[in-house]
Amino acid sequence: MLDLKQVDNCWTLFLDRDGVLNEDKVGSYIFHPGEFHFYAGTLEAMKIFASRFGRIVIVTNQRGISKGLMTETELHAIHRQMQQEIEAAGGRIDAIYYATSLDNAHPDRKPQPGMAVKAASDFPEIDFSKSIMVGNNLSDMEFARNAAMYAVFVQTTVTDLTFPHPHIDLAFNTLLNFAHTLAAGKI
């Protein structure tokens, strides 16, 4: 069971992007920075997380690149804008990993743990037993399980799951709700 009172700067926060930080473009992709819109409260949440976690890592499936719908240059522009806004609000992102493969079994594509393994290679202090993955899909929760980390579900896009759920340690309505609960040391 995840005890939020234990979370300190030795812990790592892994975050999905679309549907967690920003509004998901249902049935499509975010193609350029003008289409990227944070959910209300995301920037405040990121500031709270920056004070609590030693590392903050984004892990996102971005198969629109392999489909030829966008380029990596466009993805980098989206991420540059996202990071600038988060940093201006007092938050931070230490690294961003993305999987472009169309193959659902590709080791880097969630729910496979490849992006977590890459993060741990780049940041050897990452301890998966002291890591939390926040996502809005079951593939994010399975990614957490496959990497032996805790799974926190935000109900921003999928609201019909029954709780308790075997792949989910904690669930919150929004990222900000999770951040406030973490800051208060509840649960």
Side-chain angles (χ1 to χ4, degrees):
M1 178 66 170
L2 174 57
D3 180 0
L4 294 178
K5 294 176 191 163
Q6 302 299 315
V7 175
D8 61 20
N9 64 4
C10 293
W11 284 63
T12 300
L13 179 65
F14 287 84
L15 295 163
D16 180 37
R17 193 191 81 181
D18 300 330
V20 175
L21 299 178
N22 59 287
E23 296 173 14
D24 200 6
K25 192 173 167 188
V26 179
S28 189
Y29 304 93
I30 307 296
F31 295 115
H32 56 79
E35 294 183 329
F36 185 92
H37 304 286
F38 285 109
Y39 280 123
T42 295
L43 296 176
E44 180 184 346
M46 294 303 290
K47 182 177 180 178
I48 293 168
F49 296 147
S51 70
R52 294 299 297 261
F53 290 94
R55 292 278 175 217
I56 300 173
V57 177
I58 304 294
V59 286
T60 179
N61 287 340
Q62 294 293 325
R63 72 168 91 194
I65 292 170
S66 290
K67 288 182 176 182
L69 301 173
M70 63 187 300
T71 66
E72 286 193 66
T73 300
E74 290 165 324
L75 181 65
H76 292 304
I78 293 165
H79 288 165
R80 206 170 24 257
Q81 174 186 300
M82 176 184 73
Q83 285 188 278
Q84 288 169 350
E85 290 184 50
I86 288 171
E87 288 172 9
R92 74 170 197 287
I93 297 171
D94 296 303
I96 301 171
Y97 299 91
Y98 57 91
T100 63
S101 179
L102 298 175
D103 179 3
N104 286 334
H106 189 280
D108 289 341
R109 186 166 174 75
K110 290 182 287 180
Q112 282 66 246
M115 288 186 281
V117 171
K118 285 182 178 181
S121 176
D122 291 342
F123 302 100
E125 71 277 10
I126 291 177
D127 175 352
F128 293 139
S129 72
K130 291 184 177 182
S131 295
I132 298 171
M133 172 64 195
V134 179
N136 65 313
N137 288 300
L138 281 179
S139 63
D140 298 317
M141 304 297 94
E142 292 165 359
F143 167 86
R145 291 293 187 250
N146 289 336
M149 62 178 80
Y150 292 101
V152 171
F153 187 78
V154 289
Q155 297 171 302
T156 51
T157 60
V158 178
T159 58
D160 60 350
L161 287 179
T162 303
F163 299 100
H165 191 283
H167 296 306
I168 299 171
D169 293 301
L170 297 172
F172 297 91
N173 292 333
T174 66
L175 190 64
L176 183 59
N177 182 238
F178 169 54
H180 282 160
T181 303
L182 176 70
K186 294 181 180 175
I187 297 184

